[in-house]
Amino acid sequence: MLIKRRRGWELPESQATPEAVFFDRRKLLLGMGAAGIAASAGWRPAWGATDAAAVAADLYPAKRNPAYELGRDMTEEKVATSYNNFYEFGTSKNIVKPAQALTLKPWQVKIDGMVAKDITIDAEDLIRKMPVDERLYRHRCVEAWSMAVPWTGFPLRALVDFAAPMSGAKYLKMETFSRPQEASGQKQFWYPWPYTEGLTIEEARNELAYIATGIYGKPMPKQNGAPLRLAVPWKYGFKSVKSIVRFTFTDKRPKTFWEALQDGEYGFWANVNPMVAHPRWSQATEEVIGTGKRIPTQIYNGYGEQVAELYKNLGSEKLFM
Ligand SMILES: Nc1nc2c(c(=O)[nH]1)N[C@H]1C(S)=C(S)[C@@H](COP(=O)(O)O)O[C@H]1N2
Ligand SMILES: [Mo]
């Protein structure tokens, strides 16, 4: 399944990924041990990543899967872990502090709906049953910014297999926690909480669909969606629901958070396409956060080789909004 693929597109040499730099830094950190890390000037951990609440911390860093290349520079850790969208903690990009109120232990995950048997399992136990690796993925927010990060996690397909859905299940619905005491954004009653997203079963089984449990070789910081969040890099970022507590298999297309809020602007499919503008702005280019540069956006965010097949017979659907 995990064969090395040719990049779907190329960028100028000046933007090529300095993977070696990242590997060397990681090796250095591993070699130094905890005391050395703490003492080394200029390095600090992702917010919250090293606190005692981190889930399955011994799994990091995981072995990198070489099948996935960025084709651009990796975003700096401090940028990707401090510029966030997480409306449960506020509508600004600066939600690191309020997000630390999120309690990660215990974290029960429910798998229900069209499955032979409902499953309730602690996130830590679930992660330990899954084939964990590290993958470099691009991420394109519908707001026309992007990042490129190393996630740690497991293929969503492995969770689907674990759940053993009935043959009639057509969609997988995913929901974020509902805890207004910890997440004051959820006291804003006009939002359709809890944050809900969904994929078709075929999409959920695509090799790229991923449940991320960590980033930059460490457990996921709270602000990035600990302890487990979706990463579907060919779709706009809002599809990648954070801090999931429930996976439901169903034969009805779920109504997503953003669709419920504004269905004229945000649909179910939300595949990246530079040719299809958002009603209020162009999607032709994207700002690469941390660089101040804009680059052209690619159809399916450059992942067409892996996913275009999924949409061959869906011509009448609004696939790109
Ligand atoms: N529960 C939840 N998940 C969410 C969001 C959110 O507000 N709440 N924002 C989405 C959007 S719009 C984006 S771009 C990504 C941002 O992920 P990041 O903060 O790790 O970059 O998370 C997505 N998942
Ligand atoms: Mo987004």
Side-chain angles (χ1 to χ4, degrees), residues 83-88 139 141 145 147 151 176 195 223-224 229 237-238 240-242:
Y83 181 90
N84 302 101
N85 271 336
F86 205 162
Y87 275 43
E88 284 81 346
H139 172 99
C141 175
W145 57 264
M147 61 180 190
W151 298 119
T176 298
Y195 198 100
Q223 66 273 19
N224 290 89
R229 60 89 56 86
F238 65 83
S240 291
V241 48
K242 292 175 166 180

mmCIF file with all atom_site columns, all heavy atoms in Angstrom, residues 83-88 139 141 145 147 151 176 195 223-224 229 237-238 240-242, ligand 1:
data_model
loop_
_atom_site.group_PDB
_atom_site.id
_atom_site.type_symbol
_atom_site.label_atom_id
_atom_site.label_alt_id
_atom_site.label_comp_id
_atom_site.label_asym_id
_atom_site.label_entity_id
_atom_site.label_seq_id
_atom_site.pdbx_PDB_ins_code
_atom_site.Cartn_x
_atom_site.Cartn_y
_atom_site.Cartn_z
_atom_site.occupancy
_atom_site.B_iso_or_equiv
_atom_site.pdbx_formal_charge
_atom_site.auth_seq_id
_atom_site.auth_comp_id
_atom_site.auth_asym_id
_atom_site.auth_atom_id
_atom_site.pdbx_PDB_model_num
ATOM   1   N N   . TYR A 1 83  ? -0.136  29.219 15.772 1.00 0.00 ? 83  TYR A N   1
ATOM   2   C CA  . TYR A 1 83  ? -1.063  29.897 14.855 1.00 0.00 ? 83  TYR A CA  1
ATOM   3   C C   . TYR A 1 83  ? -2.144  28.862 14.558 1.00 0.00 ? 83  TYR A C   1
ATOM   4   O O   . TYR A 1 83  ? -1.928  27.951 13.749 1.00 0.00 ? 83  TYR A O   1
ATOM   5   C CB  . TYR A 1 83  ? -0.308  30.305 13.586 1.00 0.00 ? 83  TYR A CB  1
ATOM   6   C CG  . TYR A 1 83  ? -1.112  31.042 12.549 1.00 0.00 ? 83  TYR A CG  1
ATOM   7   C CD1 . TYR A 1 83  ? -1.200  32.431 12.570 1.00 0.00 ? 83  TYR A CD1 1
ATOM   8   C CD2 . TYR A 1 83  ? -1.759  30.362 11.518 1.00 0.00 ? 83  TYR A CD2 1
ATOM   9   C CE1 . TYR A 1 83  ? -1.920  33.110 11.600 1.00 0.00 ? 83  TYR A CE1 1
ATOM   10  C CE2 . TYR A 1 83  ? -2.481  31.035 10.541 1.00 0.00 ? 83  TYR A CE2 1
ATOM   11  C CZ  . TYR A 1 83  ? -2.555  32.410 10.590 1.00 0.00 ? 83  TYR A CZ  1
ATOM   12  O OH  . TYR A 1 83  ? -3.272  33.094 9.618  1.00 0.00 ? 83  TYR A OH  1
ATOM   13  N N   . ASN A 1 84  ? -3.251  28.936 15.248 1.00 0.00 ? 84  ASN A N   1
ATOM   14  C CA  . ASN A 1 84  ? -4.219  27.836 15.195 1.00 0.00 ? 84  ASN A CA  1
ATOM   15  C C   . ASN A 1 84  ? -5.647  28.296 14.941 1.00 0.00 ? 84  ASN A C   1
ATOM   16  O O   . ASN A 1 84  ? -6.019  29.411 15.296 1.00 0.00 ? 84  ASN A O   1
ATOM   17  C CB  . ASN A 1 84  ? -4.232  27.069 16.537 1.00 0.00 ? 84  ASN A CB  1
ATOM   18  C CG  . ASN A 1 84  ? -2.868  26.517 16.896 1.00 0.00 ? 84  ASN A CG  1
ATOM   19  O OD1 . ASN A 1 84  ? -2.150  27.084 17.713 1.00 0.00 ? 84  ASN A OD1 1
ATOM   20  N ND2 . ASN A 1 84  ? -2.511  25.419 16.273 1.00 0.00 ? 84  ASN A ND2 1
ATOM   21  N N   . ASN A 1 85  ? -6.435  27.409 14.366 1.00 0.00 ? 85  ASN A N   1
ATOM   22  C CA  . ASN A 1 85  ? -7.884  27.567 14.336 1.00 0.00 ? 85  ASN A CA  1
ATOM   23  C C   . ASN A 1 85  ? -8.477  26.514 15.255 1.00 0.00 ? 85  ASN A C   1
ATOM   24  O O   . ASN A 1 85  ? -8.277  25.307 15.046 1.00 0.00 ? 85  ASN A O   1
ATOM   25  C CB  . ASN A 1 85  ? -8.424  27.339 12.909 1.00 0.00 ? 85  ASN A CB  1
ATOM   26  C CG  . ASN A 1 85  ? -8.456  28.615 12.093 1.00 0.00 ? 85  ASN A CG  1
ATOM   27  O OD1 . ASN A 1 85  ? -8.513  29.710 12.642 1.00 0.00 ? 85  ASN A OD1 1
ATOM   28  N ND2 . ASN A 1 85  ? -8.417  28.472 10.780 1.00 0.00 ? 85  ASN A ND2 1
ATOM   29  N N   . PHE A 1 86  ? -9.183  26.943 16.291 1.00 0.00 ? 86  PHE A N   1
ATOM   30  C CA  . PHE A 1 86  ? -9.801  26.014 17.250 1.00 0.00 ? 86  PHE A CA  1
ATOM   31  C C   . PHE A 1 86  ? -10.880 26.826 17.958 1.00 0.00 ? 86  PHE A C   1
ATOM   32  O O   . PHE A 1 86  ? -10.675 27.375 19.034 1.00 0.00 ? 86  PHE A O   1
ATOM   33  C CB  . PHE A 1 86  ? -8.744  25.490 18.229 1.00 0.00 ? 86  PHE A CB  1
ATOM   34  C CG  . PHE A 1 86  ? -9.049  24.150 18.868 1.00 0.00 ? 86  PHE A CG  1
ATOM   35  C CD1 . PHE A 1 86  ? -8.027  23.407 19.465 1.00 0.00 ? 86  PHE A CD1 1
ATOM   36  C CD2 . PHE A 1 86  ? -10.342 23.621 18.890 1.00 0.00 ? 86  PHE A CD2 1
ATOM   37  C CE1 . PHE A 1 86  ? -8.271  22.161 20.051 1.00 0.00 ? 86  PHE A CE1 1
ATOM   38  C CE2 . PHE A 1 86  ? -10.597 22.384 19.470 1.00 0.00 ? 86  PHE A CE2 1
ATOM   39  C CZ  . PHE A 1 86  ? -9.553  21.658 20.063 1.00 0.00 ? 86  PHE A CZ  1
ATOM   40  N N   . TYR A 1 87  ? -12.043 26.936 17.283 1.00 0.00 ? 87  TYR A N   1
ATOM   41  C CA  . TYR A 1 87  ? -13.104 27.850 17.722 1.00 0.00 ? 87  TYR A CA  1
ATOM   42  C C   . TYR A 1 87  ? -13.625 27.554 19.118 1.00 0.00 ? 87  TYR A C   1
ATOM   43  O O   . TYR A 1 87  ? -14.177 28.446 19.769 1.00 0.00 ? 87  TYR A O   1
ATOM   44  C CB  . TYR A 1 87  ? -14.245 27.841 16.696 1.00 0.00 ? 87  TYR A CB  1
ATOM   45  C CG  . TYR A 1 87  ? -14.017 28.802 15.551 1.00 0.00 ? 87  TYR A CG  1
ATOM   46  C CD1 . TYR A 1 87  ? -12.769 28.923 14.948 1.00 0.00 ? 87  TYR A CD1 1
ATOM   47  C CD2 . TYR A 1 87  ? -15.053 29.598 15.080 1.00 0.00 ? 87  TYR A CD2 1
ATOM   48  C CE1 . TYR A 1 87  ? -12.568 29.810 13.907 1.00 0.00 ? 87  TYR A CE1 1
ATOM   49  C CE2 . TYR A 1 87  ? -14.864 30.490 14.037 1.00 0.00 ? 87  TYR A CE2 1
ATOM   50  C CZ  . TYR A 1 87  ? -13.617 30.594 13.456 1.00 0.00 ? 87  TYR A CZ  1
ATOM   51  O OH  . TYR A 1 87  ? -13.435 31.480 12.424 1.00 0.00 ? 87  TYR A OH  1
ATOM   52  N N   . GLU A 1 88  ? -13.436 26.325 19.595 1.00 0.00 ? 88  GLU A N   1
ATOM   53  C CA  . GLU A 1 88  ? -13.849 26.004 20.961 1.00 0.00 ? 88  GLU A CA  1
ATOM   54  C C   . GLU A 1 88  ? -13.143 26.912 21.968 1.00 0.00 ? 88  GLU A C   1
ATOM   55  O O   . GLU A 1 88  ? -13.629 27.142 23.077 1.00 0.00 ? 88  GLU A O   1
ATOM   56  C CB  . GLU A 1 88  ? -13.510 24.538 21.277 1.00 0.00 ? 88  GLU A CB  1
ATOM   57  C CG  . GLU A 1 88  ? -14.462 23.518 20.641 1.00 0.00 ? 88  GLU A CG  1
ATOM   58  C CD  . GLU A 1 88  ? -14.144 23.212 19.181 1.00 0.00 ? 88  GLU A CD  1
ATOM   59  O OE1 . GLU A 1 88  ? -13.363 23.958 18.539 1.00 0.00 ? 88  GLU A OE1 1
ATOM   60  O OE2 . GLU A 1 88  ? -14.689 22.224 18.668 1.00 0.00 ? 88  GLU A OE2 1
ATOM   61  N N   . HIS A 1 139 ? -0.951  21.182 4.530  1.00 0.00 ? 139 HIS A N   1
ATOM   62  C CA  . HIS A 1 139 ? -2.261  21.508 5.090  1.00 0.00 ? 139 HIS A CA  1
ATOM   63  C C   . HIS A 1 139 ? -2.684  22.846 4.512  1.00 0.00 ? 139 HIS A C   1
ATOM   64  O O   . HIS A 1 139 ? -1.945  23.817 4.614  1.00 0.00 ? 139 HIS A O   1
ATOM   65  C CB  . HIS A 1 139 ? -2.140  21.590 6.631  1.00 0.00 ? 139 HIS A CB  1
ATOM   66  C CG  . HIS A 1 139 ? -3.370  22.111 7.331  1.00 0.00 ? 139 HIS A CG  1
ATOM   67  N ND1 . HIS A 1 139 ? -4.288  21.276 7.922  1.00 0.00 ? 139 HIS A ND1 1
ATOM   68  C CD2 . HIS A 1 139 ? -3.824  23.370 7.552  1.00 0.00 ? 139 HIS A CD2 1
ATOM   69  C CE1 . HIS A 1 139 ? -5.262  22.010 8.478  1.00 0.00 ? 139 HIS A CE1 1
ATOM   70  N NE2 . HIS A 1 139 ? -5.000  23.281 8.267  1.00 0.00 ? 139 HIS A NE2 1
ATOM   71  N N   . CYS A 1 141 ? -5.594  25.652 4.602  1.00 0.00 ? 141 CYS A N   1
ATOM   72  C CA  . CYS A 1 141 ? -6.815  26.194 5.213  1.00 0.00 ? 141 CYS A CA  1
ATOM   73  C C   . CYS A 1 141 ? -7.632  26.903 4.135  1.00 0.00 ? 141 CYS A C   1
ATOM   74  O O   . CYS A 1 141 ? -7.079  27.507 3.217  1.00 0.00 ? 141 CYS A O   1
ATOM   75  C CB  . CYS A 1 141 ? -6.466  27.164 6.342  1.00 0.00 ? 141 CYS A CB  1
ATOM   76  S SG  . CYS A 1 141 ? -7.905  27.988 7.070  1.00 0.00 ? 141 CYS A SG  1
ATOM   77  N N   . TRP A 1 145 ? -4.278  30.132 3.697  1.00 0.00 ? 145 TRP A N   1
ATOM   78  C CA  . TRP A 1 145 ? -2.928  29.987 4.245  1.00 0.00 ? 145 TRP A CA  1
ATOM   79  C C   . TRP A 1 145 ? -2.619  28.497 4.304  1.00 0.00 ? 145 TRP A C   1
ATOM   80  O O   . TRP A 1 145 ? -3.520  27.648 4.250  1.00 0.00 ? 145 TRP A O   1
ATOM   81  C CB  . TRP A 1 145 ? -2.775  30.644 5.623  1.00 0.00 ? 145 TRP A CB  1
ATOM   82  C CG  . TRP A 1 145 ? -3.699  30.175 6.707  1.00 0.00 ? 145 TRP A CG  1
ATOM   83  C CD1 . TRP A 1 145 ? -4.880  30.761 7.080  1.00 0.00 ? 145 TRP A CD1 1
ATOM   84  C CD2 . TRP A 1 145 ? -3.534  29.019 7.566  1.00 0.00 ? 145 TRP A CD2 1
ATOM   85  N NE1 . TRP A 1 145 ? -5.454  30.045 8.114  1.00 0.00 ? 145 TRP A NE1 1
ATOM   86  C CE2 . TRP A 1 145 ? -4.662  28.979 8.434  1.00 0.00 ? 145 TRP A CE2 1
ATOM   87  C CE3 . TRP A 1 145 ? -2.566  28.026 7.683  1.00 0.00 ? 145 TRP A CE3 1
ATOM   88  C CZ2 . TRP A 1 145 ? -4.843  27.977 9.403  1.00 0.00 ? 145 TRP A CZ2 1
ATOM   89  C CZ3 . TRP A 1 145 ? -2.745  27.040 8.656  1.00 0.00 ? 145 TRP A CZ3 1
ATOM   90  C CH2 . TRP A 1 145 ? -3.868  27.015 9.499  1.00 0.00 ? 145 TRP A CH2 1
ATOM   91  N N   . MET A 1 147 ? 0.407   25.290 5.715  1.00 0.00 ? 147 MET A N   1
ATOM   92  C CA  . MET A 1 147 ? 1.598   24.892 6.463  1.00 0.00 ? 147 MET A CA  1
ATOM   93  C C   . MET A 1 147 ? 1.987   23.503 5.967  1.00 0.00 ? 147 MET A C   1
ATOM   94  O O   . MET A 1 147 ? 1.262   22.876 5.191  1.00 0.00 ? 147 MET A O   1
ATOM   95  C CB  . MET A 1 147 ? 1.330   24.909 7.978  1.00 0.00 ? 147 MET A CB  1
ATOM   96  C CG  . MET A 1 147 ? 0.245   23.977 8.446  1.00 0.00 ? 147 MET A CG  1
ATOM   97  S SD  . MET A 1 147 ? 0.014   24.095 10.259 1.00 0.00 ? 147 MET A SD  1
ATOM   98  C CE  . MET A 1 147 ? -1.082  22.701 10.530 1.00 0.00 ? 147 MET A CE  1
ATOM   99  N N   . TRP A 1 151 ? 3.277   15.039 10.966 1.00 0.00 ? 151 TRP A N   1
ATOM   100 C CA  . TRP A 1 151 ? 2.308   14.480 11.929 1.00 0.00 ? 151 TRP A CA  1
ATOM   101 C C   . TRP A 1 151 ? 2.820   13.115 12.392 1.00 0.00 ? 151 TRP A C   1
ATOM   102 O O   . TRP A 1 151 ? 3.490   12.408 11.632 1.00 0.00 ? 151 TRP A O   1
ATOM   103 C CB  . TRP A 1 151 ? 0.942   14.233 11.293 1.00 0.00 ? 151 TRP A CB  1
ATOM   104 C CG  . TRP A 1 151 ? 0.180   15.396 10.742 1.00 0.00 ? 151 TRP A CG  1
ATOM   105 C CD1 . TRP A 1 151 ? -0.203  15.563 9.439  1.00 0.00 ? 151 TRP A CD1 1
ATOM   106 C CD2 . TRP A 1 151 ? -0.378  16.519 11.447 1.00 0.00 ? 151 TRP A CD2 1
ATOM   107 N NE1 . TRP A 1 151 ? -0.942  16.718 9.302  1.00 0.00 ? 151 TRP A NE1 1
ATOM   108 C CE2 . TRP A 1 151 ? -1.062  17.314 10.509 1.00 0.00 ? 151 TRP A CE2 1
ATOM   109 C CE3 . TRP A 1 151 ? -0.354  16.914 12.792 1.00 0.00 ? 151 TRP A CE3 1
ATOM   110 C CZ2 . TRP A 1 151 ? -1.726  18.498 10.866 1.00 0.00 ? 151 TRP A CZ2 1
ATOM   111 C CZ3 . TRP A 1 151 ? -1.003  18.090 13.146 1.00 0.00 ? 151 TRP A CZ3 1
ATOM   112 C CH2 . TRP A 1 151 ? -1.678  18.871 12.197 1.00 0.00 ? 151 TRP A CH2 1
ATOM   113 N N   . THR A 1 176 ? -16.012 16.409 17.931 1.00 0.00 ? 176 THR A N   1
ATOM   114 C CA  . THR A 1 176 ? -15.134 16.946 18.976 1.00 0.00 ? 176 THR A CA  1
ATOM   115 C C   . THR A 1 176 ? -15.863 16.898 20.324 1.00 0.00 ? 176 THR A C   1
ATOM   116 O O   . THR A 1 176 ? -17.091 16.779 20.369 1.00 0.00 ? 176 THR A O   1
ATOM   117 C CB  . THR A 1 176 ? -14.764 18.397 18.605 1.00 0.00 ? 176 THR A CB  1
ATOM   118 O OG1 . THR A 1 176 ? -14.044 18.369 17.375 1.00 0.00 ? 176 THR A OG1 1
ATOM   119 C CG2 . THR A 1 176 ? -13.899 19.082 19.658 1.00 0.00 ? 176 THR A CG2 1
ATOM   120 N N   . TYR A 1 195 ? -18.349 20.479 17.340 1.00 0.00 ? 195 TYR A N   1
ATOM   121 C CA  . TYR A 1 195 ? -17.748 20.508 16.006 1.00 0.00 ? 195 TYR A CA  1
ATOM   122 C C   . TYR A 1 195 ? -17.867 19.110 15.400 1.00 0.00 ? 195 TYR A C   1
ATOM   123 O O   . TYR A 1 195 ? -17.485 18.123 16.024 1.00 0.00 ? 195 TYR A O   1
ATOM   124 C CB  . TYR A 1 195 ? -16.278 20.886 16.130 1.00 0.00 ? 195 TYR A CB  1
ATOM   125 C CG  . TYR A 1 195 ? -15.624 21.377 14.850 1.00 0.00 ? 195 TYR A CG  1
ATOM   126 C CD1 . TYR A 1 195 ? -15.439 22.730 14.624 1.00 0.00 ? 195 TYR A CD1 1
ATOM   127 C CD2 . TYR A 1 195 ? -15.151 20.482 13.887 1.00 0.00 ? 195 TYR A CD2 1
ATOM   128 C CE1 . TYR A 1 195 ? -14.806 23.195 13.475 1.00 0.00 ? 195 TYR A CE1 1
ATOM   129 C CE2 . TYR A 1 195 ? -14.517 20.941 12.733 1.00 0.00 ? 195 TYR A CE2 1
ATOM   130 C CZ  . TYR A 1 195 ? -14.353 22.299 12.533 1.00 0.00 ? 195 TYR A CZ  1
ATOM   131 O OH  . TYR A 1 195 ? -13.715 22.754 11.403 1.00 0.00 ? 195 TYR A OH  1
ATOM   132 N N   . GLN A 1 223 ? -3.537  22.717 21.596 1.00 0.00 ? 223 GLN A N   1
ATOM   133 C CA  . GLN A 1 223 ? -4.046  23.670 20.610 1.00 0.00 ? 223 GLN A CA  1
ATOM   134 C C   . GLN A 1 223 ? -4.115  23.097 19.194 1.00 0.00 ? 223 GLN A C   1
ATOM   135 O O   . GLN A 1 223 ? -4.844  23.599 18.346 1.00 0.00 ? 223 GLN A O   1
ATOM   136 C CB  . GLN A 1 223 ? -3.211  24.966 20.619 1.00 0.00 ? 223 GLN A CB  1
ATOM   137 C CG  . GLN A 1 223 ? -1.779  24.822 20.166 1.00 0.00 ? 223 GLN A CG  1
ATOM   138 C CD  . GLN A 1 223 ? -0.825  24.435 21.290 1.00 0.00 ? 223 GLN A CD  1
ATOM   139 O OE1 . GLN A 1 223 ? -1.245  23.938 22.333 1.00 0.00 ? 223 GLN A OE1 1
ATOM   140 N NE2 . GLN A 1 223 ? 0.464   24.673 21.084 1.00 0.00 ? 223 GLN A NE2 1
ATOM   141 N N   . ASN A 1 224 ? -3.356  22.036 18.919 1.00 0.00 ? 224 ASN A N   1
ATOM   142 C CA  . ASN A 1 224 ? -3.401  21.402 17.599 1.00 0.00 ? 224 ASN A CA  1
ATOM   143 C C   . ASN A 1 224 ? -4.373  20.217 17.554 1.00 0.00 ? 224 ASN A C   1
ATOM   144 O O   . ASN A 1 224 ? -4.458  19.524 16.544 1.00 0.00 ? 224 ASN A O   1
ATOM   145 C CB  . ASN A 1 224 ? -2.011  20.958 17.146 1.00 0.00 ? 224 ASN A CB  1
ATOM   146 C CG  . ASN A 1 224 ? -1.105  22.130 16.824 1.00 0.00 ? 224 ASN A CG  1
ATOM   147 O OD1 . ASN A 1 224 ? -0.412  22.635 17.708 1.00 0.00 ? 224 ASN A OD1 1
ATOM   148 N ND2 . ASN A 1 224 ? -1.117  22.592 15.586 1.00 0.00 ? 224 ASN A ND2 1
ATOM   149 N N   . ARG A 1 229 ? -6.725  13.895 16.229 1.00 0.00 ? 229 ARG A N   1
ATOM   150 C CA  . ARG A 1 229 ? -7.438  14.750 15.272 1.00 0.00 ? 229 ARG A CA  1
ATOM   151 C C   . ARG A 1 229 ? -7.241  14.180 13.871 1.00 0.00 ? 229 ARG A C   1
ATOM   152 O O   . ARG A 1 229 ? -6.290  13.442 13.614 1.00 0.00 ? 229 ARG A O   1
ATOM   153 C CB  . ARG A 1 229 ? -6.952  16.195 15.384 1.00 0.00 ? 229 ARG A CB  1
ATOM   154 C CG  . ARG A 1 229 ? -5.471  16.463 15.131 1.00 0.00 ? 229 ARG A CG  1
ATOM   155 C CD  . ARG A 1 229 ? -5.056  16.758 13.710 1.00 0.00 ? 229 ARG A CD  1
ATOM   156 N NE  . ARG A 1 229 ? -5.675  17.832 12.991 1.00 0.00 ? 229 ARG A NE  1
ATOM   157 C CZ  . ARG A 1 229 ? -5.288  19.111 13.031 1.00 0.00 ? 229 ARG A CZ  1
ATOM   158 N NH1 . ARG A 1 229 ? -4.282  19.474 13.793 1.00 0.00 ? 229 ARG A NH1 1
ATOM   159 N NH2 . ARG A 1 229 ? -5.870  20.000 12.286 1.00 0.00 ? 229 ARG A NH2 1
ATOM   160 N N   . GLY A 1 237 ? -8.703  22.777 5.400  1.00 0.00 ? 237 GLY A N   1
ATOM   161 C CA  . GLY A 1 237 ? -8.337  22.447 6.778  1.00 0.00 ? 237 GLY A CA  1
ATOM   162 C C   . GLY A 1 237 ? -9.496  22.235 7.730  1.00 0.00 ? 237 GLY A C   1
ATOM   163 O O   . GLY A 1 237 ? -9.373  21.484 8.694  1.00 0.00 ? 237 GLY A O   1
ATOM   164 N N   . PHE A 1 238 ? -10.650 22.873 7.454  1.00 0.00 ? 238 PHE A N   1
ATOM   165 C CA  . PHE A 1 238 ? -11.749 22.731 8.425  1.00 0.00 ? 238 PHE A CA  1
ATOM   166 C C   . PHE A 1 238 ? -12.275 21.307 8.492  1.00 0.00 ? 238 PHE A C   1
ATOM   167 O O   . PHE A 1 238 ? -12.944 20.936 9.448  1.00 0.00 ? 238 PHE A O   1
ATOM   168 C CB  . PHE A 1 238 ? -12.865 23.751 8.158  1.00 0.00 ? 238 PHE A CB  1
ATOM   169 C CG  . PHE A 1 238 ? -13.603 23.612 6.854  1.00 0.00 ? 238 PHE A CG  1
ATOM   170 C CD1 . PHE A 1 238 ? -14.650 22.714 6.735  1.00 0.00 ? 238 PHE A CD1 1
ATOM   171 C CD2 . PHE A 1 238 ? -13.268 24.405 5.758  1.00 0.00 ? 238 PHE A CD2 1
ATOM   172 C CE1 . PHE A 1 238 ? -15.355 22.605 5.533  1.00 0.00 ? 238 PHE A CE1 1
ATOM   173 C CE2 . PHE A 1 238 ? -13.959 24.311 4.561  1.00 0.00 ? 238 PHE A CE2 1
ATOM   174 C CZ  . PHE A 1 238 ? -15.006 23.398 4.445  1.00 0.00 ? 238 PHE A CZ  1
ATOM   175 N N   . SER A 1 240 ? -10.427 18.787 8.912  1.00 0.00 ? 240 SER A N   1
ATOM   176 C CA  . SER A 1 240 ? -9.531  18.029 9.805  1.00 0.00 ? 240 SER A CA  1
ATOM   177 C C   . SER A 1 240 ? -9.889  18.289 11.267 1.00 0.00 ? 240 SER A C   1
ATOM   178 O O   . SER A 1 240 ? -9.189  18.992 11.997 1.00 0.00 ? 240 SER A O   1
ATOM   179 C CB  . SER A 1 240 ? -8.071  18.383 9.500  1.00 0.00 ? 240 SER A CB  1
ATOM   180 O OG  . SER A 1 240 ? -7.718  17.857 8.222  1.00 0.00 ? 240 SER A OG  1
ATOM   181 N N   . VAL A 1 241 ? -11.005 17.699 11.696 1.00 0.00 ? 241 VAL A N   1
ATOM   182 C CA  . VAL A 1 241 ? -11.598 17.916 13.022 1.00 0.00 ? 241 VAL A CA  1
ATOM   183 C C   . VAL A 1 241 ? -10.630 17.504 14.136 1.00 0.00 ? 241 VAL A C   1
ATOM   184 O O   . VAL A 1 241 ? -9.980  16.468 14.059 1.00 0.00 ? 241 VAL A O   1
ATOM   185 C CB  . VAL A 1 241 ? -12.963 17.179 13.104 1.00 0.00 ? 241 VAL A CB  1
ATOM   186 C CG1 . VAL A 1 241 ? -12.852 15.749 12.596 1.00 0.00 ? 241 VAL A CG1 1
ATOM   187 C CG2 . VAL A 1 241 ? -13.559 17.186 14.500 1.00 0.00 ? 241 VAL A CG2 1
ATOM   188 N N   . LYS A 1 242 ? -10.585 18.360 15.165 1.00 0.00 ? 242 LYS A N   1
ATOM   189 C CA  . LYS A 1 242 ? -9.642  18.165 16.280 1.00 0.00 ? 242 LYS A CA  1
ATOM   190 C C   . LYS A 1 242 ? -10.283 17.474 17.479 1.00 0.00 ? 242 LYS A C   1
ATOM   191 O O   . LYS A 1 242 ? -11.504 17.507 17.651 1.00 0.00 ? 242 LYS A O   1
ATOM   192 C CB  . LYS A 1 242 ? -9.133  19.529 16.753 1.00 0.00 ? 242 LYS A CB  1
ATOM   193 C CG  . LYS A 1 242 ? -8.251  20.235 15.736 1.00 0.00 ? 242 LYS A CG  1
ATOM   194 C CD  . LYS A 1 242 ? -7.888  21.630 16.220 1.00 0.00 ? 242 LYS A CD  1
ATOM   195 C CE  . LYS A 1 242 ? -6.748  22.202 15.401 1.00 0.00 ? 242 LYS A CE  1
ATOM   196 N NZ  . LYS A 1 242 ? -6.392  23.558 15.855 1.00 0.00 ? 242 LYS A NZ  1
HETATM 197 N N1  . LIG B 2 .   ? -12.791 20.949 16.784 1.00 0.00 ? 1   LIG B N1  1
HETATM 198 C C1  . LIG B 2 .   ? -12.249 21.791 15.878 1.00 0.00 ? 1   LIG B C1  1
HETATM 199 N N2  . LIG B 2 .   ? -11.507 21.268 14.884 1.00 0.00 ? 1   LIG B N2  1
HETATM 200 C C2  . LIG B 2 .   ? -10.950 22.087 13.960 1.00 0.00 ? 1   LIG B C2  1
HETATM 201 C C3  . LIG B 2 .   ? -11.186 23.488 13.978 1.00 0.00 ? 1   LIG B C3  1
HETATM 202 C C4  . LIG B 2 .   ? -11.971 24.009 15.051 1.00 0.00 ? 1   LIG B C4  1
HETATM 203 O O1  . LIG B 2 .   ? -12.225 25.230 15.164 1.00 0.00 ? 1   LIG B O1  1
HETATM 204 N N3  . LIG B 2 .   ? -12.480 23.128 15.982 1.00 0.00 ? 1   LIG B N3  1
HETATM 205 N N4  . LIG B 2 .   ? -10.647 24.308 12.997 1.00 0.00 ? 1   LIG B N4  1
HETATM 206 C C5  . LIG B 2 .   ? -10.308 23.654 11.730 1.00 0.00 ? 1   LIG B C5  1
HETATM 207 C C6  . LIG B 2 .   ? -9.542  24.522 10.819 1.00 0.00 ? 1   LIG B C6  1
HETATM 208 S S1  . LIG B 2 .   ? -10.414 25.746 10.037 1.00 0.00 ? 1   LIG B S1  1
HETATM 209 C C7  . LIG B 2 .   ? -8.218  24.316 10.535 1.00 0.00 ? 1   LIG B C7  1
HETATM 210 S S2  . LIG B 2 .   ? -7.418  25.228 9.363  1.00 0.00 ? 1   LIG B S2  1
HETATM 211 C C8  . LIG B 2 .   ? -7.444  23.318 11.310 1.00 0.00 ? 1   LIG B C8  1
HETATM 212 C C9  . LIG B 2 .   ? -6.264  24.021 11.974 1.00 0.00 ? 1   LIG B C9  1
HETATM 213 O O2  . LIG B 2 .   ? -5.421  23.086 12.557 1.00 0.00 ? 1   LIG B O2  1
HETATM 214 P P1  . LIG B 2 .   ? -4.083  23.602 13.294 1.00 0.00 ? 1   LIG B P1  1
HETATM 215 O O3  . LIG B 2 .   ? -4.497  24.587 14.342 1.00 0.00 ? 1   LIG B O3  1
HETATM 216 O O4  . LIG B 2 .   ? -3.455  22.374 13.861 1.00 0.00 ? 1   LIG B O4  1
HETATM 217 O O5  . LIG B 2 .   ? -3.257  24.256 12.236 1.00 0.00 ? 1   LIG B O5  1
HETATM 218 O O6  . LIG B 2 .   ? -8.205  22.654 12.316 1.00 0.00 ? 1   LIG B O6  1
HETATM 219 C C10 . LIG B 2 .   ? -9.546  22.347 11.941 1.00 0.00 ? 1   LIG B C10 1
HETATM 220 N N5  . LIG B 2 .   ? -10.163 21.543 12.976 1.00 0.00 ? 1   LIG B N5  1
#
